[in-house]
Amino acid sequence: MSGQDLVLLLREQRALLIDTVQAMKVIGRQLAQATKEYKIALRKEILRLRVEDGVAWTACYDLALGEESVAELRFKRDIRQSDYDVCIEKINSLKLEIRLLEGEIKQEWGA
């Protein structure tokens, strides 16, 4: 691969890194929203179990986690967390690729 090809590839990787960081902002906000919805639903279900059904406080949390709507919101939150974690790994991978390309360019051009 020529020096010019390496520079072009480096530019592409940098652009992809910028796009990924911008996507991470969106994904992070989606994660925050999903976490908010899950925690609100969990709190409501715990209170409902205690007040309406008279369930002991010690059992409310575990029972609330198994309630279908709460479990669905937790599932959505976990998916968003996974998306966020993948984005972090992609950023790390791109940074490594950029460093490797910079090293190849220096070697190619003797800088």
Side-chain angles (χ1 to χ4, degrees), residues 5 7 21 24-25 29 39 56 59 61 64 68 74 76 78 83 87:
D5 292 335
V7 170
V21 169
M24 186 178 182
K25 178 180 177 181
R29 289 182 179 184
K39 287 187 176 188
Y61 180 77
E68 192 171 337
R74 184 175 180 166
K76 289 178 181 179
D78 291 348
D83 292 346
C87 197

Side-chain angles (χ1 to χ4, degrees), residues 3-103:
Q4 285 182 328
D5 292 335
L6 291 171
V7 170
L8 290 175
L9 188 55
L10 177 63
R11 286 182 183 158
E12 289 174 13
Q13 294 300 311
R14 285 181 176 170
L16 186 55
L17 177 60
I18 290 167
D19 291 344
T20 306
V21 169
Q22 289 173 347
M24 186 178 182
K25 178 180 177 181
V26 173
I27 293 168
R29 289 182 179 184
Q30 291 172 343
L31 172 60
Q33 182 64 34
T35 300
K36 173 187 165 190
E37 292 170 5
Y38 162 66
K39 287 187 176 188
I40 289 171
L42 179 61
R43 176 190 54 85
K44 286 180 180 179
E45 183 60 18
I46 288 171
L47 286 174
R48 188 197 68 74
L49 287 168
R50 176 64 183 147
V51 174
E52 292 179 15
D53 297 350
V55 175
W57 280 112
T58 54
C60 287
Y61 180 77
D62 290 332
L63 291 172
L65 289 177
E67 202 285 317
E68 192 171 337
S69 63
V70 173
E72 182 65 26
L73 289 171
R74 184 175 180 166
F75 175 70
K76 289 178 181 179
R77 190 254 348 234
D78 291 348
I79 289 173
R80 296 291 183 214
Q81 182 66 56
S82 174
D83 292 346
Y84 189 80
D85 294 343
V86 166
C87 197
I88 289 171
E89 289 302 316
K90 178 67 175 177
I91 288 170
N92 289 334
S93 173
L94 287 168
K95 286 165 52 175
L96 177 61
E97 181 66 25
I98 288 169
R99 279 189 224 112
L100 292 172
L101 285 169
E102 288 172 341

